[in-house]
Amino acid sequence: MAYTISDVAARAGVSKTTVSRVLNGKGDLHESTALRIRQVMEELGYVPSSRGVSRGGVRSSVVAMLVPSLSWPWVGDIVEGAVDVIEEHGLGIVLFTCNRTDQSMQRFASRVSASTFDGLLVINQEGTLDYIGGLHTRSRPVIVIDDRMSNGRFPSVSTTNETGARQAAEHLLALGRRQPLVVSGIPGLRCTDERLSGFLDTYAAAGLPVPPDRIAPGEFTFASGAEAVERLVAEAIAFDAVFAANDLSAAGALASVQAAGLRVPEDVAVIGFDDVPLAARTTPALSTVQQPCREMGRAAASMLMQYLDGSAALATDVVLPTTLVVRGSTLAA
């Protein structure tokens, strides 16, 4: 449900004019009144329209985008998709990058407080939303990419992570792979949880629950996939497949499987998630679940542009489908 300025005013027990004065930064209000109005905005998840906020009567014509390290292999596709749409509408874009440390997020928050932009696109990562939670009360609509948030505070664009992982599991089951190693992703991210549950639930439903010693923690890195395989080989734990929560860790697993003298896919089938360019360049090429990254960026930017143009309210959740891509790492030529 999209709340209006009238809803905020009614909940806070003030007039719409008073709410507008808070949105426009007017300082002639009692502090307790302004605080109560901001709290109501937070509770409702109210995102003020840029048309209803004066900001000196001038829009910045700039969209901000907060991304993890640009070295993450799929970030570039999302950014390019967003840039396509933003530039089509004649706006500019400014990129903020930050890692997952508190210091990095605090620096971002301090820069944001002194910056002017019409909206913010966020490629979500652990801890990000704790720092941007108040932006929508300061005339900046926020759209989260790649992670649906259970609290529903922000509109989001994501993919069918759980369905994609289920497709990967069904593919391995159809090949007769009964003992998969599962390499998880960064803890705390919704996409990590959904990919893990989709895969594990499918094997459990087939009567083949994956035991804890074949579920390895991961960080979406090449090293985490490699180390997971090395541990099983060292401990002589049998496995005939690897499902990794992203392609980078799947590539690491594939390399360690081959280093152990095992054949891919004859002895061990390997499948990843995302379909980044690396997936088609390993030997053999990686089977994977394709995440439509460029389309995610386009969808998020389109949502924001329609809102800023006044042609549509912000959607609460846009979910794009994933696609299973079968290559040589699971199915021999």
Side-chain angles (χ1 to χ4, degrees):
M1 174 179 178
Y3 290 97
T4 67
I5 193 171
S6 298
D7 297 319
V8 175
R11 176 75 69 90
V14 299
S15 68
K16 290 193 292 183
T17 301
T18 302
V19 176
S20 293
R21 285 157 69 187
V22 171
L23 290 173
N24 288 306
K26 303 296 185 183
D28 51 347
L29 284 176
H30 194 281
E31 180 62 30
S32 63
T33 301
L35 177 61
R36 183 168 75 253
I37 292 170
R38 292 191 184 97
Q39 288 174 337
V40 169
M41 291 177 180
E42 183 77 15
E43 291 168 3
L44 297 180
Y46 170 68
V47 181
S49 167
S50 61
R51 294 166 295 161
V53 183
S54 69
R55 293 172 62 184
V58 179
R59 283 208 356 218
S60 69
S61 296
V62 172
V63 171
M65 193 167 187
L66 175 63
V67 305
S69 169
L70 291 173
S71 64
W72 288 26
W74 44 265
V75 165
D77 284 341
I78 293 179
V79 172
E80 287 179 3
V83 169
D84 288 344
V85 173
I86 292 167
E87 290 187 345
E88 285 170 6
H89 285 75
L91 275 68
I93 184 170
V94 57
L95 283 180
F96 294 96
T97 61
C98 58
N99 56 35
R100 289 180 287 142
T101 65
D102 286 342
Q103 294 86 347
S104 179
M105 290 306 305
Q106 287 167 1
R107 284 195 298 272
F108 164 73
S110 66
R111 292 189 311 203
V112 164
S113 65
S115 300
T116 302
F117 50 80
D118 294 325
L120 175 65
L121 304 178
V122 180
I123 298 180
N124 191 38
Q125 52 187 312
E126 184 181 5
T128 298
L129 299 189
D130 295 338
Y131 288 89
I132 65 172
L135 288 179
H136 67 286
T137 66
R138 300 201 294 275
S139 313
R140 295 177 175 92
V142 176
I143 298 174
V144 178
I145 303 172
D146 194 40
D147 214 37
R148 284 173 286 168
M149 302 311 298
S150 57
N151 59 25
R153 291 166 61 196
F154 301 100
S156 68
V157 175
S158 58
T159 56
T160 51
N161 286 297
E162 190 167 351
T163 299
R166 188 180 307 122
Q167 291 172 327
E170 290 170 348
H171 175 57
L172 293 178
L173 284 166
L175 296 174
R177 308 295 174 152
R178 303 172 62 86
Q179 297 177 303
L181 162 64
V182 178
V183 184
S184 188
I186 293 173
L189 292 185
R190 183 110 175 208
C191 60
T192 294
D193 295 339
E194 289 180 341
R195 293 175 191 182
L196 187 62
S197 64
F199 190 90
L200 296 180
D201 289 350
T202 302
Y203 261 82
L208 297 167
V210 181
D213 63 356
R214 281 198 270 113
I215 302 174
E219 289 287 333
F220 288 147
T221 62
F222 186 96
S224 61
E227 290 165 2
V229 168
E230 290 167 2
R231 177 181 64 83
L232 261 63
V233 170
E235 296 177 7
I237 298 173
F239 66 105
D240 59 8
V242 177
F243 168 67
N246 79 330
D247 290 335
L248 201 54
S249 42
L254 187 151
S256 284
V257 167
Q258 293 173 326
L262 300 170
R263 299 169 300 164
V264 177
E266 292 83 358
D267 300 321
V268 179
V270 180
I271 188 167
F273 208 109
D274 286 338
D275 197 25
V276 299
L278 170 68
R281 296 171 184 163
T282 59
T283 304
L286 271 174
S287 292
T288 187
V289 178
Q290 183 185 74
Q291 186 171 223
C293 294
R294 195 177 189 108
E295 288 78 6
M296 290 167 68
R298 289 189 61 88
S302 296
M303 187 192 307
L304 181 59
M305 294 301 100
Q306 290 169 6
Y307 172 76
L308 294 176
D309 291 343
S311 59
L314 285 172
T316 56
D317 196 13
V318 173
V319 183
L320 302 177
T322 52
T323 305
L324 179 67
V325 178
V326 176
R327 297 191 179 104
S329 69
T330 59
L331 199 60

